[in-house]
């Protein structure tokens, strides 16, 4: 949360919405002492990281809806591919009734009891997914490591797959449960 705001750092279109008395009294204001309407206006401007967003630079939108009813834009190829990978890795094959071929069998392979067979099936499935994404979006993706953790409960055992990927020379950890 912001404690103070300097009105000199705001663009003209935001300043024009503020009362003149507020603009000329002083430059730095305590955020919590401003009227609620002004706080909301300034907060929406400050938290909106993409106020100068050029839609030519947007690859896609993230389906998480913000408090301001905006979808989060994905403005780099890397972020877009990471979001697509997360969505695809969590989609079970046959879960879409209109296209039963979309998805993967990772969750099925995680339940395989033979550990060497499980590792082979998982690595083959991951390799196919990563190669497909890498070729489709022309981005370099490498699998650094993958590991399966078994979490034992009283009535069941759950498998969690951790995959470390290297996308454009930056590492990222993806978890599939």
């Amino acid at each position: 949360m912001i404690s103070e705001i300097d009105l000199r750092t705001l663009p003209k279109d935001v300043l024009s919405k503020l009362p003149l008395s507020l603009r000329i009294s002083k430059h730095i204001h305590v955020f919590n002492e401003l009227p609620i309407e002004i706080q909301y206006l300034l907060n929406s401007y400050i938290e909106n990281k993409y106020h100068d967003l050029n839609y030519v630079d947007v690859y896609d939108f993230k389906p998480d809806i913000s408090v301001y009813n905006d979808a989060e834009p994905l403005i780099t190829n890397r972020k877009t591919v990471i979001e697509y990978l997360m969505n695809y890795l969590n989609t079970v094959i046959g879960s879409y009734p209109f296209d039963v071929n979309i998805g993967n069998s990772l969750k099925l392979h995680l339940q395989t009891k033979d550990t060497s067979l499980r590792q082979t099936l998982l690595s083959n499935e991951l390799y196919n997914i990563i190669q497909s994404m890498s070729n489709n979006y022309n981005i370099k993706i490498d699998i650094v490591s993958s590991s399966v953790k078994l979490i034992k409960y009283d009535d069941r055992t759950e498998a969690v797959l951790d995959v470390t990927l290297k996308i454009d020379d930056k590492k990222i950890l993806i978890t599939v449960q």
Side-chain angles (χ1 to χ4, degrees):
M1 181 89 188
I2 329 166
S3 60
E4 291 183 340
I5 183 133
D6 188 354
L7 297 183
R8 293 175 290 190
T9 62
L10 299 175
K12 288 182 182 181
D13 60 327
V14 175
L15 276 175
S16 66
K17 296 176 185 175
L18 299 177
L20 184 60
S21 60
L22 188 67
R23 289 184 283 168
I24 61 174
S25 64
K26 57 183 174 178
H27 295 296
I28 298 175
H29 293 275
V30 177
F31 190 79
N32 292 337
E33 293 176 0
L34 293 171
I36 293 294
E37 299 85 18
I38 305 298
Q39 286 182 24
Y40 180 75
L41 173 73
L42 294 175
N43 197 30
S44 66
Y45 167 73
I46 291 168
E47 287 195 5
N48 184 6
K49 302 175 202 166
Y50 307 105
H51 57 277
D52 293 332
L53 185 64
N54 185 0
Y55 286 97
V56 174
D57 298 332
V58 174
Y59 288 95
D60 203 350
F61 285 89
K62 198 173 186 179
D64 295 334
I65 303 299
S66 71
V67 293
Y68 302 110
N69 290 330
D70 293 333
E72 182 182 337
L74 299 169
I75 57 174
T76 63
N77 195 15
R78 182 177 175 273
K79 285 184 178 182
T80 306
V81 168
I82 290 169
E83 183 65 26
Y84 288 171
L85 273 172
M86 292 291 293
N87 291 337
Y88 191 78
L89 290 175
N90 287 311
T91 303
V92 179
I93 196 162
S95 61
Y96 287 114
F98 53 86
D99 191 353
V100 294
N101 295 322
I102 291 178
N104 61 66
S105 302
L106 286 175
K107 292 187 180 187
L108 178 69
H109 298 326
L110 281 173
Q111 296 174 5
T112 305
K113 292 187 181 198
D114 184 2
T115 56
S116 62
L117 177 61
R118 179 188 327 138
Q119 192 61 36
T120 303
L121 291 171
L122 288 173
S123 61
N124 287 342
E125 186 85 21
L126 283 171
Y127 179 78
N128 290 336
I129 293 168
I130 298 302
Q131 285 304 108
S132 172
M133 289 294 236
S134 181
N135 292 338
N136 286 339
Y137 299 104
N138 197 21
I139 191 168
K140 186 180 177 192
I141 306 172
D142 294 321
I143 301 172
V144 175
S145 67
S146 66
S147 64
V148 176
K149 292 186 273 186
L150 297 175
I151 302 171
K152 297 186 185 238
Y153 296 100
D154 291 337
D155 58 341
R156 68 190 186 282
T157 301
E158 292 182 2
V160 177
L161 173 66
D162 288 332
V163 182
T164 305
L165 300 174
K166 194 173 185 181
I167 302 174
D168 280 344
D169 298 328
K170 293 184 181 177
K171 290 184 181 179
I172 182 166
L173 176 68
I174 296 177
T175 302
V176 179
Q177 296 182 351

